[in-house]
Amino acid sequence: MYFSHITKNPSTSFGTGKKILFFTILFVLLIIGVGFLVVKNNVMVPAKDILSERCNQDDTPYLDQTLPVAKRVDDLMGKMTEWEKIGQMALIEKNSIHDLNEITKYNLGALLSGGGAGPKVETPAAWLSMVNNFQNATQKTCLKIPLLYGIDATHGHANVLGATVFPHSIGLGATRDSDLVRRIAKATADEMVATGIYWSFSPNLDVPQDIRWGKTYETFGSDANNVATLGLAYLQGVQDSSSKYFNALATAKHFIGGGAMEYGTARNKNFKVEEGNITLSDKSLRQTHLLPFQKAVAGGARAVMVGTATWNGVNNTGNHYLLTDVLKKELGFSGFVVSDWYGVYQVSDTRYDSLVHSINAGVDMVMTPFEYKDFMANMQKALASGDISQGRLDDAVRRILTVKFNTGLFDRPEAVSGGLSIIGSAKHRVLAREAVRKSQVLLKNENSALPLSKLSGQIIIAGSAADNLGRQAGGWTTEWQGIDGNYGIVGTTVLEAIKNTVSKNTNVEYSLEGNFSKQEALADVGIAVVGEKPYAEGWGDNANPSLSAEDLAVIEKMKVKSKKLIVIIISGRPLDIKKYVHAWDGVVASWLPGSEASGITDTLFGDYSFVGQLPIDWPL
Ligand code: BGC
Ligand code: BGC
């Protein structure tokens, strides 16, 4: 039939031949194209059929909850291909995943939400379903290894709308109360776990030496012993969050010497201190900066994040002595080392060399955080050439999987929405209020200006932070750099807290800019609530942390309108107020209190006394 058709119509027959030729050429071009892409990315994704044969096994002891973790890890490791092992070492920012199938295809092992990176709507339910969707993608892989999902729940699960926002660590440092810190860390982890996330990038164990550093507020202050004690309490508090099915995981960061970088040495031209160089002898580095990590490791740390600073010119991320000799061997750390944001690419000139160097130094999990294909290709190349040994690969993966099993990820059922009511619960807000109250530091109290009377006739209130939840909460709240205003955070502002505290007969007047011009008589009290605009990390590096001209102008105006002037400073670090403080009657350091400003009024109006002590020097 076919032939007869051809003979009947020779021109068509000739056309068909051409078509065949055309399609053959097209096919060849396509193959070359695909080949080019593979070479370009250099990633060799294993073919599906090979995988499926291997995956149809019923023999999966690693899924047996009754076996000891080490046995489960052995079994799983024995089943894994090199490709799957590499995938377990990747930690990818969730916004780099444009298609859930990529998680399956690349066998990705871990995801994170960078600052502010959540679902489109930031509600707890949307967070939970986002994380569950990511997890479900791993169920389509051969070995179904669950993802470890990490987030900076550093002062509450503060990316989530409605979460309790606790004071930043600098305020907790002022409380010197490890029991309180432990309870806060657990409450935070409980809110995090409710959204299906088990891994927090906290506590921060840096010991800041220079308040010009933008990360100062992420720390417990400059006293290494206080950092070590509170850091351990925080770590254990996170890991206290557990059930039959999971154990939340904390991260001790940033190993090592975060906070000791010299001003002006930052590699990034936008920064001054962050990503800078630490000039210290081995002995001094150990005395001050190793101490908190020693305690954390001895107290159960299972993840340590290596920072992006250089120590005497050598990048921490690529420092074998620090990561392998000191942390893993000397301190006996058996968990995994995770690199910081893009950290493995900052060690030497090419991405390949930099990665190889970092992995060989002791990095186990790589926060790339964007390019997983490039990461996987470089790992394949390094393993093929012997630049990274199979032994190092296996060691890294074994560490990661051991933690995953301990975290319970293989055994837990999918997280369901039943637990969401704990987010921003009344109980957690009471705890946050307690923390705020205990963190208040009385910097000046001339003629017993404080506490104030709840029965004062007239109180005037002004200043940039008086009615601003964003400023109270600081960076790492809703957005990486924080927000400025009353949206995205559920809580009580200082103004509201004062109104809720004073008697019915007290006249409270508020003006953002301190314009109380119509008023004739002096107010009994003027309360100026001033401070810093939110910032995070290197963007908060600041040559001279001080009050803005606007805040100083407001304080001036209030001074002439009130019988006594109280200044409340909402800031992530000490501000330079030396020139002005003599004119103020009472001054309170409130740090970055978070969502519950009623803790400020608890001490301001004398329901509780001031117990906070400076966690870092504040020259007055
Ligand atoms: C910070 C870490 C943080 C990570 C993920 C980095 O820039 O240094 O502290 O955990 O980003 O957001
Ligand atoms: C992310 C943060 C991260 C930072 C590092 C931001 O885009 O949201 O999580 O720490 O980049 O530069």
Side-chain angles (χ1 to χ4, degrees):
M1 268 304 281
Y2 186 65
F3 272 105
S4 71
H5 176 74
I6 288 174
T7 20
K8 261 191 220 156
N9 195 342
S11 62
T12 315
S13 119
F14 187 67
T16 307
K18 257 187 177 170
K19 268 186 204 158
I20 290 171
L21 188 68
F22 174 75
F23 282 115
T24 312
I25 290 172
L26 198 71
F27 182 70
V28 169
L29 283 177
L30 205 74
I31 295 290
I32 293 172
V34 169
F36 175 73
L37 278 181
V38 169
V39 171
K40 188 170 164 257
N41 267 324
N42 227 357
V43 185
M44 286 170 288
V45 184
K48 262 260 157 49
D49 49 347
I50 306 174
L51 280 183
S52 53
E53 244 176 63
R54 193 169 52 88
C55 306
N56 284 337
Q57 300 175 4
D58 292 331
D59 164 43
T60 49
Y62 70 95
L63 293 176
D64 180 353
Q65 298 181 32
T66 62
L67 287 182
V69 165
K71 281 239 157 59
R72 298 176 74 180
V73 174
D74 283 345
D75 175 56
L76 180 53
M77 294 275 299
K79 294 183 161 59
M80 289 170 82
T81 61
E82 180 186 287
W83 171 256
E84 287 163 331
K85 288 178 184 172
I86 297 172
Q88 287 304 303
M89 293 176 71
L91 171 57
I92 311 300
E93 212 282 331
K94 73 109 189 150
N95 286 336
S96 291
I97 307 291
H98 302 295
D99 173 357
L100 289 177
N101 294 321
E102 296 278 288
I103 295 176
T104 318
K105 181 168 165 194
Y106 290 91
N107 277 275
L108 299 177
L111 297 187
L112 80 144
S113 275
K120 277 206 188 74
V121 206
E122 301 268 356
T123 60
W127 272 88
L128 175 64
S129 84
M130 175 186 84
V131 176
N132 279 340
N133 284 341
F134 286 132
Q135 284 293 8
N136 289 338
T138 65
Q139 293 307 303
K140 295 188 198 131
T141 61
C142 173
L143 296 167
K144 302 186 172 51
I145 305 176
L147 289 167
L148 200 49
Y149 198 101
I151 195 162
D152 292 281
T154 51
H155 66 134
H157 194 19
N159 280 297
V160 177
L161 184 62
T164 313
V165 183
F166 292 95
H168 269 292
S169 296
I170 194 75
L172 301 185
T175 71
R176 295 184 187 248
D177 184 338
S178 50
D179 171 67
L180 171 70
V181 168
R182 188 163 178 160
R183 286 183 285 133
I184 286 172
K186 176 175 186 302
T188 299
D190 286 346
E191 295 203 9
M192 183 181 82
V193 158
T195 59
I197 302 176
Y198 298 86
W199 185 21
S200 173
F201 300 140
S202 62
N204 180 310
L205 302 181
D206 298 334
V207 187
Q209 308 293 307
D210 187 336
I211 60 163
R212 293 175 294 183
W213 185 37
K215 269 180 175 163
T216 301
Y217 70 77
E218 295 187 35
T219 76
F220 295 108
S222 60
D223 172 349
N225 285 305
N226 196 33
V227 172
T229 308
L230 300 185
L232 176 62
Y234 198 104
L235 182 123
Q236 294 182 331
V238 170
Q239 297 187 170
D240 282 346
S241 178
S242 60
S243 77
K244 186 175 161 206
Y245 296 112
F246 69 84
N247 301 292
L249 175 66
T251 312
K253 72 182 187 186
H254 307 82
F255 192 79
I256 178 181
M261 295 83 78
E262 265 175 282
Y263 187 87
T265 62
R267 300 192 301 281
N268 182 326
K269 66 176 182 344
N270 295 308
F271 306 157
K272 295 290 181 208
V273 184
E274 177 69 2
E275 295 186 5
N277 183 55
I278 303 161
T279 308
L280 277 182
S281 68
D282 189 280
K283 192 169 166 216
S284 319
L285 187 77
R286 284 166 175 271
Q287 267 169 358
T288 308
H289 302 278
L290 189 61
L291 181 75
F293 287 94
Q294 262 165 335
K295 286 227 178 168
V297 169
R302 290 180 276 136
V304 169
M305 188 187 291
V306 54
T308 50
T310 53
W311 175 41
N312 298 330
V314 179
N315 201 306
N316 281 355
T317 310
N319 193 324
H320 185 274
Y321 167 71
L322 289 176
L323 299 185
T324 300
D325 299 340
V326 177
L327 177 62
K328 290 181 176 173
K329 294 193 179 147
E330 196 180 311
L331 303 195
F333 174 63
S334 61
F336 68 84
V337 172
V338 58
S339 58
D340 200 352
W341 194 270
Y342 210 71
V344 296
Y345 298 123
Q346 302 175 358
V347 171
S348 65
D349 294 342
T350 69
R351 287 166 72 103
Y352 177 77
D353 283 347
S354 202
L355 177 70
V356 166
H357 210 91
S358 308
I359 302 295
N360 286 336
V363 169
D364 302 303
M365 186 187 278
V366 176
M367 196 193 292
T368 58
F370 314 109
E371 285 289 337
Y372 47 94
K373 293 178 194 171
D374 183 70
F375 163 74
M376 298 194 75
N378 278 332
M379 284 297 295
Q380 284 179 317
K381 183 175 157 195
L383 287 160
S385 68
D387 285 345
I388 294 175
S389 69
Q390 290 293 329
R392 181 72 267 274
L393 172 75
D394 284 349
D395 174 47
V397 176
R398 180 173 292 277
R399 286 168 179 270
I400 292 164
L401 291 176
T402 304
V403 173
K404 279 196 178 180
F405 277 110
N406 282 325
T407 306
L409 281 164
F410 284 86
D411 310 325
R412 53 148 222 162
E414 180 178 273
V416 290
S417 59
L420 291 175
S421 61
I422 201 160
I423 294 174
S425 67
K427 196 173 140 215
H428 285 177
R429 291 184 186 278
V430 168
L431 176 59
R433 179 173 178 168
E434 177 190 345
V436 174
R437 160 167 45 95
K438 290 181 172 168
S439 68
Q440 300 303 293
V441 178
L442 190 52
L443 292 176
K444 178 178 179 186
N445 196 16
E446 192 119 311
N447 302 322
S448 301
L450 291 169
L452 301 173
S453 164
K454 293 181 187 174
L455 304 173
S456 301
Q458 173 153 38
I459 298 180
I460 54 172
I461 303 172
S464 60
D467 191 26
N468 191 318
L469 285 170
R471 294 211 179 190
Q472 280 174 214
W476 295 105
T477 319
T478 307
E479 296 294 341
W480 176 38
Q481 294 293 319
I483 56 176
D484 193 10
N486 287 327
Y487 63 94
I489 303 169
V490 177
T492 306
T493 68
V494 181
L495 175 66
E496 288 163 345
I498 295 174
K499 284 183 176 166
N500 294 342
T501 307
V502 295
S503 76
K504 282 201 299 287
N505 301 327
T506 304
N507 177 17
V508 176
E509 261 191 76
Y510 166 69
S511 158
L512 173 67
E513 291 170 356
N515 297 326
F516 301 100
S517 50
K518 285 188 207 113
Q519 187 190 302
E520 306 270 297
L522 292 184
D524 296 305
V525 187
I527 304 177
V529 192
V530 293
E532 290 187 299
K533 267 193 196 157
Y535 55 80
E537 304 194 65
W539 299 105
D541 288 352
N542 183 339
N544 179 28
S546 46
L547 288 173
S548 67
E550 296 80 50
D551 274 341
L552 289 169
V554 167
I555 295 174
E556 275 299 299
K557 289 189 218 167
M558 300 201 65
K559 176 79 191 157
V560 296
K561 291 284 179 190
S562 47
K563 292 181 198 159
K564 67 174 166 187
L565 174 66
I566 308 299
V567 177
I568 295 179
I569 303 179
I570 306 279
S571 66
R573 54 189 154 193
L575 301 184
D576 183 4
I577 53 173
K578 285 198 272 327
K579 271 198 276 184
Y580 317 99
V581 68
H582 64 91
W584 310 341
D585 301 295
V587 185
V588 180
S590 291
W591 312 109
L592 297 170
S595 57
E596 308 312 311
S598 304
I600 296 179
T601 44
D602 284 344
T603 49
L604 208 59
F605 290 90
D607 286 335
Y608 292 86
S609 41
F610 284 89
V611 295
Q613 296 166 49
L614 284 177
I616 195 164
D617 191 33
W618 191 320
L620 284 176

